[in-house]
């Protein structure tokens, strides 16, 4: 399906899902062979590039359901090109670009533009997310059908950054996306309970004198929406779950058979509101950093399947948006290039999760939620060659200055984190090699058919 | 001590050092020559992102009595969206040659950010940041309380703390930087603190503070081993803005949480363990008829004018201690 | 590199006693009596020495009332070298009785060195009023003056180098027993510490 000028690659001695070492032959965008047969098949091919992967893990390319690429409108913060580079370096073979660009991705025109920019970049697959309501204003449904039928074939709709708080509108949106086999990704935040909110409401906000963002503002919306989804029989995805109470509500909903999936960000798995004490706006994010008890509940929720996926909520901002008073600062953190190390630190190193589950939450589950056919596939012969090689033993100190993203607002700055992405293959093409950007996947525009 | 950002950062020794220094500063104001040469050649900038003539004048008087040069910079309305950033403003002041920046800001944490940044090496004095803290107000309140507390016992205020004193803080605790600064400082000095407010004006998380909490002012006024407080601090309440949201009406607020004539009479009749009348404090400006009755505002028990003069002494002490140690590592 | 200092005693408790007694006599002689005499010690050790001098003056002339004629004069807020020395909580200034106008003020300090403390004391006095005469009494004069200031009454002249440190150890301040009070010199063989006083601090505005 994909014809590229990419030479075949023979990966030597990588450990799929951290298991027994094996050879993997990539050609024509697919995994051609594995194990004993890989070397044999390679002899039949010309110009095979051999890659020594001894000690490295092979994992399916990661899929991010929650990325802010800022283009169109805020190209000073990020562009599809720079965000795609960051994604490739971080090990993502597909990202989903949230709709809060300027103009908002609420028409077929804008989603097609973002989709085309992503394809032209060639570092990762870029799927635009469509807005649920016109201008994210929460008043009128956007043209969901037109976006679904556009060349971008949008299936995921979200007003992320804003909550679809009107219960009737949310009900209608859930119902309407059934007609295009789509789903709604809700940013759960009751707006009246969070007016002017600056950080998690609790012990720390009380001392710091910053207006609080109470957990109940998230939990009440999730409770309402799972019941709505059950009532109308629709698919609901909850973005960036951040509280212990939310985990409990989602667990309850899943037990009732409600078709809900949930996402957690790497930063909510590691950081707490204690970091706000110095008023450094790099820790300002929405939903806010919560307490250690919330972090613990999120980790266990992710381990036991209550939470389905990791979503980065990668939110780059220009320096001046963070170099100011806390209450004037923008919300959000970069995340694409630190997601894998943070998940290793919080979930693998703690023994809460094995590599099979890692592949599930970073790749297979998000792909399944979007109904991708070429992403999140098992590492098996015949499957698309979207995979990464990971050095899980190494440790890096996070230096945002070295990131491919334009954003320097990483809350992990200076932290020592385990694991690094050594190579990323996008349809068999090494977009990242030796931990550095290699070259984008170039293909003619007509050739890519991204969803089935 | 390099900056004064929060009373939570002050040790008992540091707090007493400021108060003792302030006592000497107060003594100077009674001398023939009220001016001290201490900060000759140093420049103090009052950087106010929010109007507060009272606080600015107090700092200005303090700096001038210490012979510092004073510059007033009003940056009201300035914000990242509208104009110059805090960073640019501060770097400008640095270039002008400021030694200390006294900053009033609408954003909680602005002073802490400034002190932590590499935008300036100046000593930073927090003159009120958002709804976070107002440390010099708490210090002047403590100076006032300590004067009264020791006078009732015939003791020298120097070196004394407030151990055993019982202070009620009444009103909008949630939005009050004065309350936060006072709570930490009073606790450091050994006083017991009771907060009195409608539950809507207490922060979530107050349960973990080292204070007792009362929803009823009458109950609070009758509490404690002496059957009443040693001091009552009334906070300003913006009844017009809050009525209907945080409490039903101004009238209901006054009835339940105001220092009314009846409650004033109760305080007048109360005697502390040392046999004195309790003190009434208010950070000003007072809303007569809302949180405090006219009679309570004018009562001899009310320390509000002493508070103003103590404000200058405390700010002189802070400027002296910060600016004369600004090039030393505190040993 | 700083080596641990060697310490040597240059005055014992009884030496100090004798010196104070001699100074008390000198003061009475030079002032021709005790009328209008006011002893002001510079905190903290000067205050204690002034009190001890006052006790001796009362023994020489019972008309001298130490309560009414000794006090203390804090100079912290008048120093010009705070940047080099760092902030100190000021000690109380206590001026007894009728104040300093027209009085013969004897400033009392433990060690006379650069003269900057005395200069600050003169400024502090000026802010309090106008004495008729100001004199200076010190327990030790170690030299190295940076200002045209001299002492009228000296317990001991002590030639020192700038690298040395002279300390007067007193019961009330240092907690040594009265009979072990002393004046000691500490010598630093090689020192990286700045001069004890004097040169204006480097650096300038922050
Ligand atoms: Zn969101």
């Amino acid at each position: 399906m994909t014809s590229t000028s990419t030479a075949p690659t023979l990966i030597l001695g990588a450990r799929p899902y951290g298991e027994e070492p094996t050879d993997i032959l990539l050609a024509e965008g697919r995994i051609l062979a594995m194990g004993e047969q890989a070397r044999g098949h390679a002899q039949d091919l010309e110009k095979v590039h051999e890659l020594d992967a001894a000690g490295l893990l092979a994992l399916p390319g990661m899929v991010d359901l929650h990325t802010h690429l800022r283009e169109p409108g805020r190209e000073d913060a990020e562009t599809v090109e720079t965000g795609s580079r960051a994604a490739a370096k971080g090990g993502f073979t597909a990202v989903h670009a949230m709709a809060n660009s300027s103009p908002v991705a609420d028409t077929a025109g804008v989603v097609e533009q973002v989709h085309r920019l992503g394809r032209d970049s060639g570092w990762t697959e870029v799927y635009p997310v469509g807005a649920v309501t016109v201008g994210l204003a929460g008043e009128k449904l956007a043209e969901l059908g037109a976006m679904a039928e556009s060349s971008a074939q949008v299936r995921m709709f979200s007003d992320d950054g804003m909550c679809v708080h009107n219960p009737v509108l949310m009900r209608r949106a859930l119902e309407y996306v059934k007609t295009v086999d789509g789903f709604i990704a809700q940013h759960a935040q009751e707006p009246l309970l969070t007016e002017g909110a600056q950080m998690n409401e609790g012990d720390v906000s009380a001392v710091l004198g910053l207006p609080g963002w109470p957990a109940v503002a998230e939990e009440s919306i999730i409770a309402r929406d799972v019941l709505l989804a059950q009532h109308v029989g629709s698919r609901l995805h909850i973005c960036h779950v951040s509280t212990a109470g939310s985990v409990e509500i989602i667990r309850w909903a899943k037990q009732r058979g409600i078709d809900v999936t949930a996402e957690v960000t790497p930063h909510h798995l590691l950081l707490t509101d204690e970091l706000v004490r110095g008023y450094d706006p790099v820790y300002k994010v929405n939903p806010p950093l919560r307490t250690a008890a919330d972090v613990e509940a999120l980790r266990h929720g992710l381990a036991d399947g209550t939470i389905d996926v990791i979503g980065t909520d990668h939110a780059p901002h220009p320096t001046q948006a963070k170099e100011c008073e806390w209450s004037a600062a923008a919300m959000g953190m970069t995340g694409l290039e630190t997601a894998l190390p943070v998940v290793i630190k919080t979930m693998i190193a703690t023994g809460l999760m094995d590599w099979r589950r890692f592949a599930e939450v970073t790749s297979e589950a998000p792909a399944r939620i979007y109904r991708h056919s070429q992403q999140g596939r098992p590492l098996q012969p015949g499957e698309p060659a979207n995979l990464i090689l990971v050095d899980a033993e190494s440790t890096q100190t996070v230096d945002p200055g070295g990131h491919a993203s334009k954003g320097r607002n990483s809350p992990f700055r200076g932290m020592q984190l385990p694991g690094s992405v050594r190579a990323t293959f996008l349809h068999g093409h090494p977009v990242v090699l030796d931990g550095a950007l290699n070259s984008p996947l170039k293909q003619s525009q007509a050739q890519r058919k991204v969803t089935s | 001590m390099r900056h004064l950002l929060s009373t939570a950062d002050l040790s008992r020794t540091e707090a007493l050092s400021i108060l003792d220094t302030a006592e000497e500063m107060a003594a100077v104001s009674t001398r023939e020559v009220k001016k001290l040469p201490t900060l000759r050649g140093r420049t103090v900038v009052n950087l106010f992102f929010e109007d507060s003539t009272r606080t600015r004048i107090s700092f200005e008087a303090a700096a001038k009595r210490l012979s510092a040069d004073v510059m007033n910079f009003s940056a009201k309305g300035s914000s990242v969206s509208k104009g110059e950033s805090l960073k640019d403003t501060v770097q400008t002041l640095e270039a002008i040659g400021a030694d200390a920046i006294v900053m009033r800001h609408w954003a909680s944490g602005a002073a802490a950010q400034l002190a932590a940044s590499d935008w300036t090496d100046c000593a930073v004095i927090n003159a009120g940041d958002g709804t976070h803290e107002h440390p010099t107000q708490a210090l002047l309140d403590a100076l006032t309380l300590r004067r009264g507390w020791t006078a009732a016992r015939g003791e020298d205020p120097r070196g004394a703390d407030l151990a055993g004193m019982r202070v009620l803080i009444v009103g909008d605790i949630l939005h009050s930087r004065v309350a936060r600064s006072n709570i930490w400082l009073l606790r450091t000095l050994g006083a017991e603190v009771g907060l009195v407010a409608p539950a809507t004006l207490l922060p979530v998380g107050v349960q973990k503070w080292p204070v007792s909490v009362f929803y009823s002012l009458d109950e609070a006024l009758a509490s404690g081993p002496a059957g009443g407080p040693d001091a009552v601090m009334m906070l300003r309440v913006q009844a017009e803005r809050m009525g209907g949201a945080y409490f039903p009406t101004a009238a209901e607020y006054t009835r339940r949480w105001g220092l009314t004539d009846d409650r004033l009479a109760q305080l007048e009749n109360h005697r502390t363990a040392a046999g004195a009348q309790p003190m009434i404090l208010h950070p000003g400006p007072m809303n007569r008829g809302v949180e405090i009755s006219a009679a309570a505002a004018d009562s001899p028990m009310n320390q509000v004018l002493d508070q103003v003069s103590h404000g200058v002494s405390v700010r002189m002490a802070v400027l002296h201690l910060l600016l004369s140690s600004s090039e030393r590592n505190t040993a | 590199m700083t080596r641990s200092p060697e310490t040597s005693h240059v005055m014992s408790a009884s030496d100090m006693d004798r010196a104070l007694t001699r100074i008390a006599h000198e003061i009475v002689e030079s002032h021709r009596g005790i009328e209008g005499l006011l002893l002001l010690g510079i905190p903290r050790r000067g205050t204690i020495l002034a009190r001890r001098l006052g006790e001796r003056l009362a023994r020489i002339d019972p008309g001298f009332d130490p309560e009414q004629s000794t006090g203390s004069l804090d100079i912290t807020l008048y120093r010009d070298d705070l940047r080099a020395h760092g902030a100190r909580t000021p000690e109380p200034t206590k001026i007894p009785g009728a104040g300093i106008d027209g009085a013969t003020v004897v400033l009392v300090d433990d060690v006379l060195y650069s003269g900057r403390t005395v200069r600050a004391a003169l400024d502090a006095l000026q802010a309090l009023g106008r004495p008729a005469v100001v004199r200076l009494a010190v327990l030790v004069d170690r030299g190295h003056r940076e200002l045209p200031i001299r002492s009228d009454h000296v317990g001991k002249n002590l030639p020192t180098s700038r690298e040395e440190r002279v300390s007067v150890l007193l019961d009330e301040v240092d907690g040594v027993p009265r009979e072990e009070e002393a004046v000691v010199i500490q010598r630093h063989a090689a020192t990286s510490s700045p001069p004890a006083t004097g040169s204006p601090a480097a650096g300038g505005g922050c």
Side-chain angles (χ1 to χ4, degrees):
Chain A
M1 227 158 74
T2 316
S3 93
T4 72
S5 55
T6 302
T9 302
L10 179 61
I11 299 167
L12 297 169
R15 297 187 293 125
Y17 310 101
E19 291 154 15
E20 286 310 300
T22 184
D23 300 340
I24 308 170
L25 178 62
L26 313 181
E28 295 297 312
R30 309 226 145 241
I31 298 175
L32 205 59
M34 289 174 73
E36 309 269 293
Q37 287 132 28
R39 199 175 274 280
H41 276 83
Q43 280 160 2
D44 303 338
L45 299 171
E46 280 176 29
K47 288 196 263 182
V48 175
H49 175 240
E50 288 195 6
L51 184 62
D52 179 9
L56 302 184
L57 280 73
L59 293 164
M62 300 198 292
V63 176
D64 189 8
L65 285 181
H66 197 145
T67 316
H68 295 275
L69 293 181
R70 302 298 186 215
E71 192 174 0
R74 287 311 303 265
E75 290 81 0
D76 58 329
E78 192 83 288
T79 62
V80 172
E81 170 72 23
T82 57
S84 298
R85 288 169 177 253
K89 268 185 86 183
F92 292 91
T93 50
V95 298
H96 296 72
M98 278 299 178
N100 62 339
S101 50
S102 178
V104 170
D106 56 3
T107 60
V110 177
V111 293
E112 286 188 347
Q113 182 196 354
V114 172
H115 187 233
R116 190 171 54 247
L117 286 167
R119 212 170 39 197
D120 293 349
S121 295
W123 295 102
T124 192
E125 289 188 349
V126 175
Y127 297 95
V129 176
V132 177
T133 66
V134 175
L136 309 178
E139 286 161 8
K140 285 185 300 190
L141 288 180
E143 289 187 349
L144 309 181
M147 291 188 272
E149 285 162 12
S150 74
S151 65
Q153 298 189 31
V154 176
R155 291 293 175 270
M156 176 178 180
F157 299 91
S158 179
D159 275 1
D160 184 58
M162 310 294 280
C163 178
V164 183
H165 61 95
N166 178 332
V168 178
L169 197 63
M170 184 62 180
R171 175 206 167 131
R172 301 288 182 234
L174 284 166
E175 287 174 320
Y176 194 82
V177 290
K178 286 201 287 186
T179 60
V180 297
D181 192 28
F183 65 103
I184 302 286
Q186 176 70 297
H187 168 116
Q189 175 180 8
E190 212 303 307
L192 293 174
L193 279 173
T194 51
E195 225 174 83
Q198 295 292 329
M199 67 172 296
N200 179 48
E201 182 166 69
D203 299 344
V204 181
S205 67
V207 170
L208 296 188
L210 288 170
W213 197 134
V216 62
E218 174 174 310
E219 293 155 4
S220 59
I221 292 290
I222 296 177
R224 181 199 77 179
D225 286 355
V226 294
L227 293 172
L228 280 176
Q230 178 183 39
H231 183 59
V232 301
S234 292
R235 287 209 287 146
L236 170 69
H237 179 70
I238 307 294
C239 296
H240 42 52
V241 169
S242 71
T243 78
S246 298
V247 175
E248 274 183 60
I249 293 166
I250 293 161
R251 189 174 286 133
W252 172 86
K254 287 188 166 184
Q255 280 162 1
R256 285 192 127 200
I258 298 171
D259 199 356
V260 59
T261 53
E263 153 195 306
V264 64
T265 70
H267 49 268
H268 286 111
L269 287 174
L270 182 58
L271 311 176
T272 69
D273 62 352
E274 288 293 327
L275 291 164
V276 182
R277 288 190 190 273
Y279 294 97
D280 183 343
V282 79
Y283 300 113
K284 183 172 176 179
V285 65
N286 192 19
L289 300 179
R290 304 285 187 184
T291 67
D294 293 307
V295 166
E296 200 57 22
L298 293 170
R299 290 182 183 185
H300 284 96
L302 182 64
D304 70 18
T306 305
I307 296 174
D308 302 84
V309 305
I310 296 288
T312 65
D313 197 2
H314 175 78
H317 287 290
T319 306
Q320 70 273 13
K322 288 289 191 181
E323 214 174 45
C324 59
E325 300 85 351
W326 176 279
S327 33
M331 300 192 185
M333 316 171 150
T334 59
L336 286 171
E337 289 163 86
T338 45
L340 174 131
V342 172
V343 177
I344 292 177
K345 180 182 174 74
T346 55
M347 303 302 296
I348 301 278
T350 52
L352 287 167
M353 215 161 78
D354 61 13
W355 291 105
R356 286 275 174 183
R357 177 75 187 146
F358 181 97
E360 174 102 10
V361 301
T362 59
S363 177
E364 293 158 11
R368 205 161 48 233
I369 289 169
Y370 198 97
R371 306 215 205 285
H372 286 298
S373 62
Q374 305 295 306
Q375 294 283 348
R377 299 298 303 163
L379 298 178
Q380 277 171 18
E383 294 291 350
N386 292 317
L387 70 151
I388 57 176
L389 298 176
V390 170
D391 179 359
E393 304 303 318
S394 68
T395 300
Q396 269 83 37
T397 303
V398 177
D399 170 22
H403 284 172
S405 167
K406 280 194 184 180
R408 295 292 171 262
N409 51 308
S410 170
F412 308 110
R413 173 184 54 204
M415 286 180 76
Q416 295 247 327
L417 294 177
S420 66
V421 175
R422 301 306 303 161
T424 303
F425 292 92
L426 181 63
H427 294 288
H429 180 79
V431 287
V432 171
L433 271 183
D434 293 328
L437 290 167
N438 180 36
S439 66
L441 173 66
K442 288 298 175 198
Q443 50 193 315
S444 68
Q445 299 200 353
Q447 279 167 336
R448 286 277 292 288
K449 178 117 179 352
V450 289
T451 45
S452 60
Chain B
M1 223 167 65
R2 198 136 137 56
H3 308 288
L4 179 64
L5 306 174
S6 155
T7 56
D9 304 336
L10 291 176
S11 66
R12 183 178 173 281
T13 310
E14 286 169 328
L16 289 181
S17 160
I18 295 172
L19 296 182
D20 291 349
T21 304
E23 286 291 349
E24 296 314 312
M25 297 299 184
V28 169
S29 351
T30 65
R31 288 187 199 160
E32 206 172 285
V33 180
K34 291 181 178 58
K35 201 160 171 133
L36 290 164
T38 320
L39 298 182
R40 208 158 43 199
R42 320 295 298 269
T43 300
V44 174
V45 175
N46 289 321
L47 174 56
F48 277 54
F49 287 85
E50 193 179 74
D51 279 338
S52 174
T53 312
R54 301 160 72 97
T55 305
R56 185 181 54 71
I57 285 178
S58 181
F59 269 107
E60 192 171 345
K64 285 182 169 166
R65 281 200 190 160
L66 292 172
S67 303
D69 294 323
V70 182
M71 291 191 286
N72 291 312
F73 191 108
S74 171
K76 198 189 159 217
S78 172
S79 75
V80 264
S81 56
K82 289 189 229 167
E84 209 179 14
S85 71
L86 177 58
K87 178 181 177 179
D88 292 333
T89 305
V90 165
Q91 287 183 333
T92 305
L93 299 177
E94 166 99 10
I96 286 170
D99 295 287
I101 295 178
V102 174
M103 186 165 77
R104 162 65 63 95
H105 205 292
W106 43 264
S108 298
Q113 284 180 278
L114 184 54
S117 76
D118 55 5
W119 309 335
T120 175
D121 293 327
C122 287
V124 177
I125 298 169
N126 183 2
D129 62 326
T131 53
H132 177 224
E133 289 219 27
H134 192 357
T136 56
Q137 174 72 41
L139 285 161
L140 76 87
D141 288 339
L143 191 70
T144 309
L145 291 169
R146 189 173 76 161
R147 281 271 181 98
W149 181 241
T150 52
R153 288 170 167 63
E155 292 165 1
D156 181 358
R158 277 188 65 112
D161 63 13
L162 302 177
M165 195 176 197
R166 192 176 165 75
V167 182
L168 297 178
I169 304 177
V170 187
D172 180 2
I173 310 294
L174 177 64
H175 300 103
S176 175
R177 51 191 170 212
V178 174
R180 281 182 183 76
S181 284
N182 260 299
I183 291 163
W184 316 135
L185 182 62
L186 289 169
R187 294 296 299 147
T188 299
L189 293 173
E192 283 173 46
V193 178
L195 304 181
V196 192
T200 46
L201 291 177
L202 289 162
V204 165
V206 75
Q207 303 78 5
K208 298 213 179 143
W209 289 5
V211 298
S212 36
V213 173
F214 300 88
Y215 297 141
S216 156
L217 178 54
D218 290 318
E219 207 177 287
L221 287 176
S223 67
D230 297 302
V232 180
M233 188 179 292
M234 302 304 297
L235 300 175
R236 181 179 164 81
V237 168
Q238 291 177 304
E240 332 73 56
R241 196 165 61 75
M242 292 185 155
Y246 290 90
F247 45 81
T249 58
E252 175 153 334
Y253 182 87
T254 306
R255 236 176 6 251
R256 298 180 67 107
W257 293 283
L259 187 49
T260 56
D261 290 352
D262 286 349
R263 294 191 179 107
L264 175 66
Q266 194 187 333
L267 281 178
E268 279 169 349
N269 293 326
H270 175 63
R271 288 294 173 275
T272 67
Q277 283 184 324
M279 287 184 273
I280 299 170
L281 279 75
H282 194 297
M286 294 186 281
N287 282 320
R288 288 167 181 252
V290 184
E291 75 269 2
I292 191 162
S293 73
D298 296 329
S299 159
M301 292 155 71
N302 195 320
Q303 313 289 315
V304 67
L305 290 179
D306 279 342
Q307 284 174 273
V308 173
S309 72
H310 292 164
V312 177
S313 304
V314 151
R315 287 165 181 136
M316 288 171 77
V318 168
L319 285 168
H320 163 66
L321 291 170
L322 288 186
L323 278 179
S324 34
S325 63
S326 61
E327 289 183 326
R328 253 171 78 93
N329 312 323
T330 29
Chain C
M1 288 293 289
T2 311
R3 224 175 57 190
S4 61
E6 312 162 19
T7 303
S8 63
H9 286 237
V10 291
M11 283 179 93
S12 66
S14 55
D15 294 337
M16 288 162 64
D17 256 359
R18 275 194 299 277
L20 286 177
T21 305
R22 179 169 51 72
I23 291 173
H25 281 284
E26 283 178 19
I27 289 172
V28 176
E29 280 159 28
S30 64
H31 185 60
R32 299 186 185 138
I34 48 107
E35 188 64 33
L37 201 59
L38 181 56
L39 304 183
L40 292 181
I42 297 173
R44 298 165 65 194
R45 293 179 181 76
T47 308
I48 293 153
L49 295 175
R51 196 159 60 231
R52 293 186 187 175
L53 269 178
E55 288 160 8
R56 284 168 173 76
L57 284 171
R59 262 179 259 144
I60 296 165
D61 184 338
F64 183 86
D65 177 1
E67 281 296 305
Q68 287 304 307
S69 307
T70 52
S72 64
L73 179 70
D74 189 74
I75 53 99
T76 311
L77 301 172
Y78 295 87
R79 295 198 74 104
D80 63 1
D81 53 0
L82 277 172
R83 285 201 208 195
H85 283 253
R88 207 187 68 179
T89 309
E91 297 287 320
T93 288
K94 289 185 183 143
I95 307 298
I100 67 168
D101 285 346
T104 295
V105 170
V106 181
L107 295 172
V108 183
D109 205 359
D110 54 348
V111 179
L112 178 60
Y113 186 16
S114 66
R116 285 176 194 271
T117 301
V118 177
R119 186 211 54 78
L122 292 172
D123 284 353
L125 270 185
Q126 201 177 23
L128 289 169
R130 189 178 182 285
V133 179
V134 183
R135 303 213 183 280
L136 175 63
V138 298
L139 186 60
V140 174
D141 182 348
R142 60 169 296 192
H144 303 290
R145 214 76 75 242
E146 294 165 4
L147 294 171
I149 282 170
R150 62 169 183 77
S151 184
D152 302 280
H153 311 287
V154 180
K156 185 178 177 70
N157 280 299
L158 194 62
T160 58
S161 81
R162 283 188 186 272
E163 284 67 45
E164 289 166 335
R165 190 186 149 89
V166 177
S167 306
V168 176
L169 305 177
L170 296 179
D171 176 13
E172 293 89 334
V173 179
D174 307 288
V176 296
R178 189 73 184 244
E179 60 278 9
E180 286 174 30
E181 288 186 344
V183 178
V184 301
I185 297 191
Q186 291 171 328
R187 291 184 183 82
H188 295 267
T191 178
S192 60
S193 63
T197 182
S199 34
C206 65

